[in-house]
Each structure stands twice: as structure tokens, then as C-alpha cells.
Amino acid sequence: MSVKPLYLSYRDGFLKEYRDAVTNIAAAPVVGMWAESDFAEKVRAQKPQNVFLRVDEKLNVLDSNGKVIGTLYDCLNIEDCFVPIFCFDSLRTVKALEKFVFENNIANAGLCVTYAKRGLLDTAFAAMPALHCIVDCRAVKHIPNVLKFAGNVHEAHSMTVILRADLADRKTVRTFRSRLVTVVAEAAYYELPSVLLNGVNGIITDNPDSLYELYRKFPENSFVRHYFMYAHKGYQQDGKFGENTVSAVVNAGKHRLDGVEVDIKRSLDHKSVIMHNPTTRGMFTGEERVFEELTYPEMLERRRTDYPDESVDLVQDMLTAIKKYPKLQTIIEIKSSERFYQVEELTDIVRREIEETGTEYQTMILLGDMTPGIAYIHRMCPRLPFVYAFCENKVTPPETREEAETMVFRYVWNGRGSVGALCPEDVNVGRLYHEYAKMNLTPVFPWTRSWYFKPSTWEEDGRQGDTNYQAGYHGWTTDHAGKYLGLPESLKINAEGKPVCVLRNGRTVPAENAFVIELGNGWKAYGLDVELHFGEHIKIYSEAFRD
């Protein structure tokens, strides 16, 4: 059999038309299905976005009973398009898939193995690093420690799990997502409302039409997932604390923010320190020096010009401090010079400090376009989630499908295999952008860019923040995270069966003006319209319930 050119190039493979759900939900969960005997007809009729294909070593596609449906060539050569997920259970199948993927230039696809055989992803990842990896955890009956489980998933080069509907409760899903693990739930028809409002990133169903129908029941700008808020360089609280300091990081924990982003460098005497700028100019007393040419004691001799009581803090002191706030996630951006040996040494120092302080499940690594040795860093810290940050000279969001697809492809391609999320500047993104990123089960959280050119203002960042909220991103890294602390974050049902509103700062208040949405099959949920700071609106929901 001759090999068919299923995809003419990597880019063309990505640019195949997606079947987005017609819905008002911001970044609605991806709709997936397993390939069964009626696979081709159902794809044409119901337009799933992801299709999971059980593949054997002969590149046959099997149904749930092990019966051959057709060849992989046949299944991928139908007229309607979807993102294929190749499910396998042997090294022989990995070798066959490697040849198939290479000869057909397939880039926009996934690799899936069961949790028990997740070690196979080492070989599969090495052979096909362009494809995103998924761990099928449906056979797992209980997850006693979600954070540790997430570490096992990252160690297997994966950033996505498939769970049974009964394990995909709201707390479990949110904990996985806090570690940049996207959650796909397999759900029967009667379970769809429940898993949807528990905040999953994708849903596998045997009837995509029923899921699309459920999506259409929601009003405009409905929000079904937790929105993570990260304080850029720590929560400085309108200048009360200095940027990139332990005190600003601790302040974020005290105010119940989801996380912080800090920048780190290496001192001349091999200490990891919290610092962004390349030199001391304008920020510290004394003559201008390159930070990496100073020992830590020499750094301590200098004071911050705007915060005289502050100097340079050690990363280890920060890691020790965040242990008091176990839900606070710390994104560590490696700001070392472009000399690889310094990146290598800094990574090794931070890895040891994370191990010594026991903060493995509170830290993640942020890497940028200019960070060398990304693959090495991933090997050194395999259980940590990675974020890929990128800059653009273009300062407007994509305005067409092709432009959005091209941007997402470029950055997913650059970061795939090493990272769990994308972190673009907020001026480059928008709802259209995220609709394509979600197809790759890739979390996206923009960061504020205005500080690059001049000090951030609340009005500039706040308006973009409202837009980010409505786009349904994973979250936002901002200099003004505190402005959102008083906003409603979720609804929950109290012991009396009444809806109450949980604010981002943890306070609970009555959910005045809550409404009820009918979801079908006896399911309902409470909803609440939330006005953001600059007049935009979103709607948040409680968990689904039945009377």
C-alpha cells in the first residue's frame, strides 16, 4: 500500500478546518469521541473535535471490542476533519506510528496510553516529540493525592489526563489544572451537565450532538472553569511591596491569590536569587554592575532605591516561605544569561532547593524564547509543569482564522513536548486565539505587557484583563491581580440548598440575583451575572444538581 499524503506539511496539517461548537460558553470543553464501528458516519453527522483511535501494530483501528474498523489511513482520510488521538499499548505500535507520522507529516495529533503503561510515552515522545501526550486514567479507581498524581503524569511527558466522570469532581479538576494538567472526562449522557460544570477541558461522549445541545443552553459569556490569577513578580499591592521579593510572594499567599510569577538569576558565588533586571542600574544603590558578576554578599550591600529596607532575596528563602500557603503556585522564570552552562547550573541549584524545601507541588518553570537548553531543563525537573513564554512585535490580536491558527501552531510547535502551557503577551491574544489553542488541550494564560514600555496603569491592564476573562483562558499573569480579589469567583450550594457566592479572596456572601438554568434530564444549576471592572460581564455557575 502506498502512503497517502494525508497532510501536505506540518502547517497544513494544523490548518485543517476545526469543528467548533456553536456555543456561548467561553472556550467550551473540547468534544471528543472514541472510534467505533459507526465512526465515519458519526464524524460526518456530529462533528466531534477530537477522535480517539485505538491503533494496533499493523496500523488498524479497533473498536471497543477489538474488532477492526479500518486502517489508520482510511480513518484519517474522510472528508470531515478532527484532531486524531492515537491510542496504543505496545512498543511495536510506537514504531509503526513513528513511521506513519513521519511519512504523512502529521503534527496536529495526540498520543495516548493507559496510566499503567505510561512508561511507553518515553519512547513515543522521543520518536514523535511534536505530538501532545495524554494519559488514560479511566482504570484508576481512586486518586488519594492529586498533586502527586499530577507529578507522575508530567514525568511521563504528558500534560493531559482522561478521567471517569465520577473522579472528575470540581475540586479534583481544579487541583489538576493548578498544576497545568488539562482534564478530559469520559461521560455518559446523564453525566454531561455535571462534568461540564466541574470545569473540565474536554469531554468524551458517544453522542457529540447531545453535548453541543447542552452547550447551546447557556447564555452569552458563560464561564464554567476556574480562572487562575497570578501576581506578576509577586503581589505588590499597589506599591506596598517591592517586585520580586519574598514579602511580595508571601503577600500573594495571604490574599489567597492562585499564584505568583518571579524571575531568578545566579550569583557569582552560585546562589539562586530573585531578580529580573540584567544590571543594578536604576534599581539598586552603587555603581552599575551585572548581577551575575556579583556575589550574594555583594548584592546584600546594595539597597533598592525605591524600597530601602529591601535588597536581593534568595530563592530558597522564598520556597521556604510559600510552604505556609500550600495552594499558592509559584512560577519560576529562568532569567539567566544565554550562556548554556549558567542555565544548566542555575537549573541544578533550583532543583536541589525545591527538593530540600519540599515544594515540588508548588512550583513550575517558565521558559522563554531566549532560554537555551529547554530540553535539558525538562530532563532535570521532569515532575514540574513547564510554561513557554513568547513575545511578539505585533500588538493586536489575530483578526482572522488563518492568523490565529498560524500563531497558535507556531507556539504550540515550539513548546510542545517540554511545556504544559503557553504564556503570550495579552496584546497578542483573544477569544479566537484560544479557540484554537484549546483544540490541542493547551492551557493559555496571557501576561500584562504594558509594563514593557511604561509603568502599568490599572485602566490599561484592567480593560485587557476583562477581555482575557471573557476569552475563557486558563488565567492571567498581571501586575493588578489584587483588583480582582473582591469579584465573585464561583457559586456553591450551602447546607440549606441555597446558592452562595465565593469571592476570589475566599469570603462567602449571599448570591443575590442568582438565577436557575435548566440543563435537561432533570439537571439544573444556579447562575450569577458578574460585572467586571470596565463594564464587561461573565456568568458563573454552581455545580449541577437535581431536585
Side-chain angles (χ1 to χ4, degrees):
M1 178 186 295
S2 61
V3 177
K4 295 182 179 181
L6 298 175
Y7 297 85
L8 298 178
S9 69
Y10 289 116
R11 184 173 180 273
D12 288 342
F14 190 83
L15 292 179
K16 294 182 77 176
E17 182 183 0
Y18 288 130
R19 299 295 181 177
D20 294 333
V22 179
T23 175
N24 287 319
I25 298 175
V30 177
V31 178
M33 61 172 280
W34 289 96
E36 297 291 351
S37 57
D38 57 351
F39 159 72
E41 294 78 8
K42 187 167 285 188
V43 166
R44 293 188 181 100
Q46 301 198 27
K47 315 297 186 187
Q49 298 166 306
N50 286 352
V51 176
F52 293 78
L53 305 160
R54 306 174 186 89
V55 183
D56 67 13
E57 62 189 72
K58 296 181 180 179
L59 297 183
N60 292 315
V61 177
L62 314 176
D63 65 13
S64 55
N65 296 315
K67 181 180 177 180
V68 176
I69 300 171
T71 68
L72 196 53
Y73 297 100
D74 296 332
C75 291
L76 293 186
N77 204 35
I78 63 176
E79 61 192 43
D80 287 278
C81 303
F82 52 84
V83 177
I85 310 297
F86 306 133
C87 306
F88 57 93
D89 62 4
S90 72
L91 286 175
R92 288 185 177 181
T93 306
V94 172
K95 294 298 182 182
L97 280 172
E98 178 184 9
K99 181 179 179 182
F100 177 84
V101 167
F102 175 77
E103 291 177 338
N104 290 280
N105 294 322
I106 293 176
N108 189 39
L111 302 169
C112 181
V113 299
T114 63
Y115 183 74
K117 293 191 175 184
R118 63 190 184 278
L120 284 173
L121 284 178
D122 277 329
T123 303
F125 168 77
M128 297 166 279
L131 308 192
H132 56 279
C133 298
I134 300 169
V135 178
D136 181 358
C137 303
R138 292 174 300 153
V140 176
K141 296 181 179 180
H142 180 55
I143 304 178
N145 187 326
V146 177
L147 293 172
K148 183 177 180 180
F149 197 94
N152 295 341
V153 171
H154 284 296
E155 195 169 26
H157 301 289
S158 177
M159 286 79 180
T160 302
V161 294
I162 304 175
L163 301 179
R164 299 195 319 266
D166 61 307
L167 287 185
D169 60 88
R170 186 173 279 196
K171 181 179 179 181
T172 297
V173 171
R174 177 169 168 173
T175 304
F176 268 124
R177 292 185 59 238
S178 75
R179 298 297 292 163
L180 303 183
V181 175
T182 53
V183 178
V184 176
E186 183 180 58
Y189 171 72
Y190 62 88
E191 297 170 313
L192 295 179
S194 177
V195 296
L196 171 63
L197 290 177
N198 285 342
V200 297
N201 301 89
I203 300 175
I204 300 174
T205 174
D206 59 2
N207 189 357
D209 271 351
S210 61
L211 189 51
Y212 290 136
E213 182 181 355
L214 174 62
Y215 288 176
R216 287 190 284 268
K217 294 180 183 291
F218 286 82
E220 186 178 7
N221 289 327
S222 287
F223 210 79
V224 296
R225 281 190 292 274
H226 175 73
Y227 186 79
F228 289 87
M229 192 70 70
Y230 303 96
H232 185 228
K233 301 183 181 181
Y235 179 32
Q236 299 156 54
Q237 202 170 348
D238 295 327
K240 185 177 180 180
F241 298 92
E243 66 177 47
N244 277 319
T245 59
V246 171
S247 58
V249 171
V250 169
N251 193 43
K254 289 179 178 178
H255 286 83
R256 301 174 66 95
L257 287 167
D258 296 301
V260 295
E261 180 271 348
V262 296
D263 308 285
I264 69 168
K265 289 181 174 292
R266 188 211 68 168
S267 68
L268 187 61
D269 54 347
H270 313 292
K271 303 286 186 182
S272 63
V273 298
I274 310 174
M275 183 51 56
H276 175 278
N277 293 9
T279 73
T280 61
R281 185 178 63 180
M283 193 172 184
F284 286 84
T285 58
E287 65 176 336
E288 181 179 1
R289 294 284 300 277
V290 174
F291 270 107
E292 288 153 326
E293 295 176 356
L294 294 171
T295 65
Y296 184 62
E298 289 174 330
M299 291 181 185
L300 290 180
E301 293 175 359
R302 297 166 178 263
R303 313 311 297 174
R304 291 182 182 247
T305 54
D306 48 355
Y307 296 90
D309 293 334
E310 298 274 9
S311 185
V312 181
D313 291 330
L314 292 170
V315 172
Q316 187 155 18
D317 290 341
M318 178 195 68
L319 295 174
T320 300
I322 65 174
K323 293 180 68 175
K324 187 177 179 180
Y325 308 98
K327 292 185 178 181
L328 184 72
Q329 295 292 320
T330 304
I331 304 170
I332 298 174
E333 180 172 4
I334 295 179
K335 282 287 187 183
S336 187
S337 73
E338 295 181 40
R339 297 173 183 173
F340 175 72
Y341 76 89
Q342 290 193 5
V343 175
E344 181 181 19
E345 183 179 3
L346 181 57
T347 302
D348 187 53
I349 294 170
V350 172
R351 177 187 59 80
R352 285 187 282 104
E353 291 174 339
I354 290 172
E355 291 176 354
E356 291 169 2
T357 55
T359 52
E360 180 182 40
Y361 302 133
Q362 285 185 263
T363 49
M364 54 188 80
I365 303 295
L366 175 63
L367 307 168
D369 290 320
M370 300 302 293
T371 306
I374 288 178
Y376 170 83
I377 299 170
H378 188 260
R379 288 196 302 271
M380 291 289 288
C381 308
R383 296 178 63 81
L384 298 188
F386 279 63
V387 184
Y388 180 68
F390 54 87
C391 303
E392 275 278 353
N393 292 326
K394 187 177 185 296
V395 292
T396 57
E399 297 176 352
T400 66
R401 275 179 173 269
E402 183 175 3
E403 191 178 359
E405 291 163 339
T406 301
M407 285 179 64
V408 175
F409 170 76
R410 185 163 69 249
Y411 295 119
V412 170
W413 172 261
N414 287 345
R416 191 175 276 166
S418 297
V419 300
L422 300 178
C423 185
E425 299 146 300
D426 57 17
V427 293
N428 300 135
V429 295
R431 192 162 182 168
L432 179 64
Y433 179 97
H434 195 213
E435 285 298 319
Y436 289 94
K438 77 172 188 179
M439 301 300 299
N440 288 271
L441 300 172
T442 301
V444 176
F445 54 99
W447 91 91
T448 300
R449 189 189 189 187
S450 60
W451 62 271
Y452 255 142
F453 306 104
K454 56 183 179 295
S456 299
T457 66
W458 165 233
E459 183 172 355
E460 289 173 342
D461 294 348
R463 292 188 188 281
Q464 184 63 46
D466 283 6
T467 300
N468 292 342
Y469 239 117
Q470 288 187 311
Y473 289 108
H474 170 84
W476 186 33
T477 303
T478 174
D479 295 312
H480 303 288
K483 300 287 187 179
Y484 287 83
L485 288 173
L487 286 180
E489 182 261 327
S490 64
L491 291 180
K492 69 177 183 179
I493 302 172
N494 63 17
E496 290 76 38
K498 302 295 183 182
V500 293
C501 184
V502 181
L503 305 182
R504 296 201 66 91
N505 59 19
R507 291 180 53 228
T508 300
V509 298
E512 298 178 1
N513 303 319
F515 59 88
V516 175
I517 181 172
E518 300 283 347
L519 301 175
N521 204 27
W523 287 100
K524 301 178 181 179
Y526 287 108
L528 184 68
D529 184 87
V530 177
E531 182 175 1
L532 304 179
H533 291 288
F534 290 87
E536 303 290 349
H537 288 254
I538 62 170
K539 294 174 179 64
I540 60 175
Y541 297 90
S542 69
E543 295 176 272
F545 64 91
R546 282 170 163 162
D547 290 333

